[in-house]
Amino acid sequence: MSALTEIQAFLPCATPNRWIENALENQSLMLIDHANCEKKAASTALSLINRYTENFDLLNKMSRLAREEMRHFEQVIALMKRRKISYEHVSASRYAAGLRDLARRDDPGKLVDVLIIGAFIEARSCERFAMLAPHLDAELEKFYLSLLKSEARHYQDYLKLAKTVAGEQSIDDRVELIAQREGQLIESPDKQFRFHSGPIA
């Protein structure tokens, strides 16, 4: 099974075609919010490093992930500069906050849930890069396809860490719960286009 096929099986639904249309109609905004997503992903990894200093596997994987996400951020803003797209402030989508609302309040359950949520965010990003790429200009298509391998690995790293932290306790019920919410957020109409938004109403 390829990494992308595995991710498509993991996600509760495919990205709606209408969202692809929204993205193609808003490519400048797509890149701005993509840059924000890379920056937030690095920030999340650093936050986990600061909070869970005793977990060496987590420290190593999150350190690598943070470096890669910041490299992607640099690549996105370089693309934006070439295309004369200003890096303006845009509000966050409801997606990540909507998932994090499900996280338990106390560890180790909280960390398990945060890691599962990280896996969903990375998996959805990977799926959307793959779906968007064929519709984009050559430069953007090449860039988005180049991101698939690292995003797929990030998804796998988050999920493996969640299983390790949970120990002998299965994470299947938490994955199912978070998947249900993720599917709702992806399929239900949204008010504003973002990289992880639902289709615009």
Side-chain angles (χ1 to χ4, degrees):
M1 182 185 291
S2 73
L4 183 58
T5 304
E6 179 185 336
I7 279 171
Q8 289 166 336
F10 175 72
L11 292 170
C13 63
T15 288
N17 288 331
R18 179 60 188 146
W19 182 89
I20 300 294
E21 295 169 5
N22 297 149
L24 298 177
E25 294 162 359
N26 295 278
Q27 291 191 41
S28 294
L29 181 55
M30 176 185 76
L31 286 170
I32 292 168
D33 199 50
H34 179 184
N36 286 340
C37 290
E38 300 291 1
K39 188 169 59 173
K40 289 173 189 171
S43 177
T44 296
L46 291 173
S47 176
L48 290 171
I49 286 171
N50 288 330
R51 183 176 177 88
Y52 299 101
T53 54
E54 74 289 350
N55 187 326
F56 283 100
D57 193 22
L58 181 148
L59 295 178
N60 280 315
K61 284 187 167 62
M62 290 300 104
S63 177
R64 180 179 180 181
L65 187 148
R67 291 196 305 274
E68 289 183 335
E69 302 290 22
M70 287 310 297
R71 176 59 182 149
H72 297 163
F73 172 75
E74 292 166 9
Q75 291 173 309
V76 178
I77 60 173
L79 271 168
M80 290 167 55
K81 184 177 180 181
R82 287 196 294 275
R83 293 165 186 245
K84 296 180 170 56
I85 300 169
S86 299
Y87 189 18
E88 301 168 357
H89 173 77
V90 296
S91 58
S93 71
R94 61 183 181 168
Y95 178 78
L99 294 177
R100 290 188 181 117
D101 281 346
L102 294 177
R104 288 167 284 184
R105 298 296 172 223
D106 299 313
D107 284 322
K110 178 180 178 179
L111 177 56
V112 169
D113 289 349
V114 168
L115 292 167
I116 293 170
I117 290 164
F120 273 103
I121 293 172
E122 297 290 340
R124 182 60 66 183
S125 297
C126 188
E127 183 243 14
R128 290 195 160 179
F129 291 142
M131 289 189 71
L132 279 168
H135 304 286
L136 300 171
D137 62 73
E139 181 184 41
L140 263 182
E141 178 183 21
K142 182 180 179 182
F143 175 51
Y144 274 16
L145 290 176
S146 76
L147 297 177
L148 296 182
K149 186 176 181 180
S150 58
E151 298 298 315
R153 187 179 64 255
H154 296 168
Y155 142 75
Q156 292 166 341
D157 284 346
Y158 270 119
L159 205 57
K160 287 175 186 173
L161 283 169
K163 291 175 180 176
T164 300
V165 172
E168 296 180 2
Q169 188 173 358
S170 171
I171 65 169
D172 290 350
D173 60 333
R174 301 305 297 175
V175 171
E176 184 177 347
L177 175 71
I178 294 165
Q180 184 177 6
R181 172 70 60 84
E182 204 270 352
Q184 291 169 351
L185 290 165
I186 290 300
E187 292 188 319
S188 60
D190 230 322
K191 293 181 179 178
Q192 55 189 9
F193 171 80
R194 295 292 185 268
F195 195 84
H196 288 108
S197 65
I200 306 308

